[in-house]
Amino acid sequence: MTDEQLMSLVKSGQLDYLNELFSRFSKRIYNYFLKSTMEKADSDDLTQELFIRVMKYRNSYKEGHSVQFWIFQIARNMIKDHFRKMKIHKDQFNPVEVMPERLEDRDEQLIEQEMKLHRAMKKLPDEKRELLVLSKFQGLKYEQIAKMRDTTVSNIKVQVHRTIKELKEVYFELSEDE
C-alpha cells in the first residue's frame, strides 16, 4: 500500500493505519529533528508531536499529494516553532554524541570524520543546515524544497551548492584547528 493510500485511510478515520505511517516515517523524521535541533530529547518529543499533529490535522491532507512532502512540511513548521519558543541560537546548541552502535564495526578515522562533519554542520546557520538536512540526508527533491520555501528550483540549487561550499570550508577549518 502506498503512503498516499494509507493517508487516505487515516483521513477517513481509520486511525490504525497511522501506525504504518509512523513505521515508515518515524526514523527519518527523528533524524531530521536531530540534525536540526542537535538534541536527542527534543527530537524524541518533536517526533511524537508530529504524529499527533498528523492525526489531528489529517483532514488538511490533500488527496493525491505526496504524504512525504506534507509530513516534512509539518516537521519544518514545527522546527521553526521550536526555535521561536526556545529562542535558541546555534551557539547555544549542546553537541549530540554521534557514535556508531558498535565501535569495533567502524574505522576510527571514519568516526573522526563523521564527528568533524557533525561539528561543521553545527556551525552553519539554521536555514543552511536545514537545507542540507532536507536535500542530502532526507532525500527530498529540490522541487519539494522549493515549494516549502516558496522559491524556485534554480534558487534552491544555488543555495545548496553555496551551502555545500561553505560546509566544506568550515570542515577544513576544523582540520586546521586540530
Side-chain angles (χ1 to χ4, degrees):
M1 198 176 298
T2 67
D3 298 337
E4 288 71 25
Q5 291 169 328
L6 285 171
M7 192 59 213
S8 290
L9 292 169
V10 169
K11 187 175 177 178
S12 71
Q14 298 179 47
L15 299 181
D16 290 343
Y17 289 100
L18 188 58
N19 290 332
E20 180 61 28
L21 284 175
F22 181 84
S23 295
R24 292 182 185 188
F25 287 97
S26 62
K27 186 174 181 180
R28 291 178 59 202
I29 291 297
Y30 173 81
N31 286 330
Y32 168 73
F33 286 138
L34 184 61
K35 288 185 186 328
S36 297
T37 65
M38 305 290 183
E39 289 286 337
K40 290 180 180 182
D42 288 345
S43 300
D44 283 331
D45 294 344
L46 288 166
T47 301
Q48 289 177 358
E49 176 63 26
L50 180 127
F51 285 98
I52 290 170
R53 288 186 186 189
V54 166
M55 183 177 64
K56 185 176 180 181
Y57 300 113
R58 65 186 180 272
N59 290 324
S60 71
Y61 169 73
K62 294 179 180 149
E63 299 287 332
H65 288 88
S66 167
V67 172
Q68 173 182 277
F69 176 79
W70 184 69
I71 286 176
F72 273 99
Q73 186 64 48
I74 293 170
R76 185 170 186 256
N77 290 337
M78 288 176 66
I79 283 294
K80 285 181 179 180
D81 292 344
H82 174 75
F83 287 136
R84 208 174 293 128
K85 282 184 217 170
M86 302 298 287
K87 295 182 182 173
I88 292 178
H89 301 286
K90 71 175 187 172
D91 58 341
Q92 295 173 321
F93 289 148
N94 293 326
V96 175
E97 301 263 340
V98 180
M99 297 298 288
E101 291 179 24
R102 294 177 40 163
L103 287 176
E104 60 268 23
D105 291 345
R106 304 292 298 270
D107 179 53
E108 272 188 48
Q109 188 176 18
L110 181 59
I111 293 168
E112 286 179 30
Q113 289 173 344
E114 286 177 7
M115 292 182 78
K116 193 179 348 172
L117 177 61
H118 177 75
R119 288 192 308 273
M121 292 260 318
K122 185 176 139 184
K123 290 182 177 265
L124 292 175
D126 297 337
E127 287 289 315
K128 291 181 179 183
R129 185 174 53 249
E130 178 196 46
L131 187 61
L132 288 182
V133 169
L134 290 172
S135 64
K136 302 302 178 193
F137 293 99
Q138 295 304 323
L140 266 65
K141 295 179 180 172
Y142 290 154
E143 292 82 9
Q144 293 172 311
I145 298 168
K147 192 173 178 183
M148 279 182 189
R149 290 189 165 197
D150 194 28
T151 189
T152 64
V153 173
S154 58
N155 190 12
I156 293 298
K157 287 179 181 179
V158 168
Q159 288 179 27
V160 168
H161 175 76
R162 288 179 180 164
T163 302
I164 289 172
K165 185 178 177 183
E166 184 178 340
L167 177 65
K168 192 177 185 182
E169 290 170 6
V170 171
Y171 181 86
F172 288 113
E173 283 174 13
L174 289 174
S175 296
E176 292 171 2
D177 293 341
E178 293 175 354

